[in-house]
Amino acid sequence: MRRQRRPRGWVWVVPALLVLGVFVYLPLLQNLQYSVMKWDIYRGGSSFIGLANYEKLAGDPVFWRALANNVAYAAVSLLCQVFGALLLAALVESMRSERWRRALRAIYFVPSAISLTVAGLLFYFVYEPELGILNAFLRGVGLESLTQAWLGQEGTAIWAVIAMSQWQGFGYSTLLFAIAIQRIPQDLYDAASLDGIGPVRRFLQVTVPLTREMTGLMIIVTLSGAFQVFNEVMVMTSGGPNNSSQVLVSWLYRMGFGRNDFGYAAAIATVIFVLTLGVALVQLAITRKRRVEW
């Protein structure tokens, strides 16, 4: 019976492997090949230059600025979309009224249903110096000294983009954590209450440990997304002013399609791949050692 089942299983597995090979692993290998070449995609010429593109990366101040922006984006995203979302989900699920829980889940999820491009355009007008809602609010509460061109200054542009991104993705993370919390047996919370444990300790000793797998998954997704952010930056700032809000993918796009330096763009893509793969492997290893069972 086992010998008869194996071929049937491979019938379903092989097509998936072929799709992965053609559309995932082959492009990765081609990207590595292009990263050691000087490649003019418009004229079709290419030549092998070894590690010159990676040496160029090491001396490119815009690349390091973009990497720093991605790291800042990742740090804020971890704080808001992982730990903040877990706390909010716990607060929502602790409410007694099922009607209010459903309403709040829907309210928090609405921004996530808006496309990144639309959200970027929306916040582009929110940050507008003269007519934008943010500066109007600051004037209304007597903080006119804080008003500024949020997207037009080097010190605030990337933080304005990051803030918009957190608003857009916060609700989705909250909803996923709410689902994870719903899977925790209510008996554990009841037992903790009988032992006189307050809500803060219940959150730390019951909710946090038993949502560990979801937390690990969200950390991987959040960090990977932080190093692949693109739409928000291109819609709101295009990397400006003076490249102060560039991120790795926007700089890759500028080098490839703006300056026709596709070999250098491929080297940047390789760095992004290594960073995201490394984060995923480390987090998977940690999560596997601390798997939740009940």
Side-chain angles (χ1 to χ4, degrees), residues 69-188:
N69 286 339
N70 278 109
V71 171
Y73 191 101
V76 175
S77 296
L78 279 178
L79 181 63
C80 294
Q81 296 189 33
V82 178
F83 303 112
L86 174 59
L87 178 60
L88 179 59
L91 291 173
V92 171
E93 294 305 313
S94 67
M95 299 180 68
R96 294 183 178 181
S97 173
E98 176 64 22
R99 180 179 299 178
W100 275 107
R101 289 202 298 269
R102 291 179 179 178
L104 289 174
R105 290 179 204 137
I107 291 171
Y108 291 131
F109 182 74
V110 166
S112 301
I114 302 174
S115 72
L116 287 172
T117 302
V118 174
L121 290 172
L122 173 64
F123 271 76
Y124 183 86
F125 294 108
V126 169
Y127 292 132
E128 206 279 331
E130 298 299 327
L131 303 176
I133 297 175
L134 180 56
N135 281 349
F137 171 78
L138 292 174
R139 296 188 191 99
V141 297
L143 298 175
E144 189 171 357
S145 60
L146 298 179
T147 61
Q148 54 189 298
W150 299 96
L151 297 177
Q153 296 185 7
E154 295 184 22
T156 59
I158 186 61
W159 298 107
V161 175
I162 291 174
M164 184 282 297
S165 183
Q166 304 314 306
W167 172 85
Q168 203 272 340
F170 186 73
Y172 181 73
S173 301
T174 301
L175 184 63
L176 291 179
F177 277 119
I179 295 172
I181 292 173
Q182 291 170 15
R183 294 179 60 245
I184 299 175
Q186 185 61 36
D187 295 345
L188 297 178

Side-chain angles (χ1 to χ4, degrees), residues 63 66-67 70 227 246-252 268 271-272 275:
F63 167 79
L67 180 59
N70 278 109
F227 285 99
Q246 291 284 3
V247 290
L248 291 176
V249 179
S250 64
W251 191 233
L252 179 157
I268 299 175
V271 172
I272 297 172
L275 288 173

